[in-house]
Amino acid sequence: MTTLALAAPSALAADDAATTTANAKPVFLVTDVAVEDGVPIDKNAARDSLATRFGRLKDKIEVRSLGEVKSTLDAAAMAQMLGSTSSDAELSKIGDYVAVDRIVFGRIHQVAGVTEVQVKLFNTKDGVVEWSASKRLKAGAPGSLILTLLDSLGDGLLSFVLDTYTDGAPSA
């Protein structure tokens, strides 16, 4: 069973998308995929799978991963502990990472053996979920199919992003 919910971007969001496309690339942050205990997939692998999907459009959109934000924070903290003055440059990057237009996140959980995989796109300017989809995996199905479902949802989200926030032409 597949559930797909699309919130049509408001006229303001459409104008924002046109302005963003004309001036600069829209900025997406792939934050997290919450994975419930007992689901046979690593949450970092799930997040990286979505981030990699978005990385395919790097000439069309700007993509940031929470992993990059964490490593920037770690590098800045280490530099400060060691007394380096270069940490100011690292800290200034953090503002770039968190100034985003859209946030991508997901959830993987099980109920009565059925695994549900969800992916959502949140518009930070309008404060709404613009795109949401989920797929379910029947009880007893191999756990290796969870990543396949996540990839499938990621592809659907990329299609929406490509059609809505870019010129729609294929990425180089």
Side-chain angles (χ1 to χ4, degrees), residues 53-118:
R53 283 277 190 265
F54 272 81
R56 293 178 180 171
L57 297 177
K58 65 182 173 184
D59 61 331
K60 301 246 178 224
I61 62 174
E62 190 73 33
V63 181
R64 300 189 179 119
S65 169
L66 190 60
E68 293 172 6
V69 175
K70 287 180 181 178
S71 66
T72 300
L73 285 170
D74 290 344
M78 183 62 76
Q80 277 190 329
M81 284 191 323
L82 297 174
S84 173
T85 57
S86 67
S87 63
D88 292 338
E90 291 295 324
L91 289 173
S92 68
K93 288 183 190 177
I94 294 167
D96 293 340
Y97 283 121
V98 294
V100 297
D101 302 315
R102 308 292 186 280
I103 297 174
V104 178
F105 60 96
R107 180 174 183 235
I108 303 172
H109 67 280
Q110 287 184 333
V111 176
V114 175
T115 304
E116 183 174 35
V117 180
Q118 301 173 348

Side-chain angles (χ1 to χ4, degrees), residues 2 15 19 34 48 56 61-62 75-77 88 91 96 110-111 124 131-132 138 146 155 163:
T2 301
D15 290 342
T19 303
D48 291 346
R56 293 178 180 171
I61 62 174
E62 190 73 33
D88 292 338
L91 289 173
D96 293 340
Q110 287 184 333
V111 176
T124 59
W131 187 94
S132 177
K138 70 179 185 175
I146 295 171
D155 287 341
D163 289 342

Side-chain angles (χ1 to χ4, degrees), residues 12-67:
L12 182 60
D15 290 342
D16 179 40
T19 303
T20 301
T21 303
N23 297 335
K25 299 177 197 177
V27 181
F28 291 79
L29 174 65
V30 180
T31 58
D32 196 18
V33 176
V35 178
E36 184 180 87
D37 289 339
V39 176
I41 188 170
D42 179 57
K43 69 181 274 171
N44 292 330
R47 182 194 67 227
D48 291 346
S49 173
L50 283 178
T52 301
R53 283 277 190 265
F54 272 81
R56 293 178 180 171
L57 297 177
K58 65 182 173 184
D59 61 331
K60 301 246 178 224
I61 62 174
E62 190 73 33
V63 181
R64 300 189 179 119
S65 169
L66 190 60

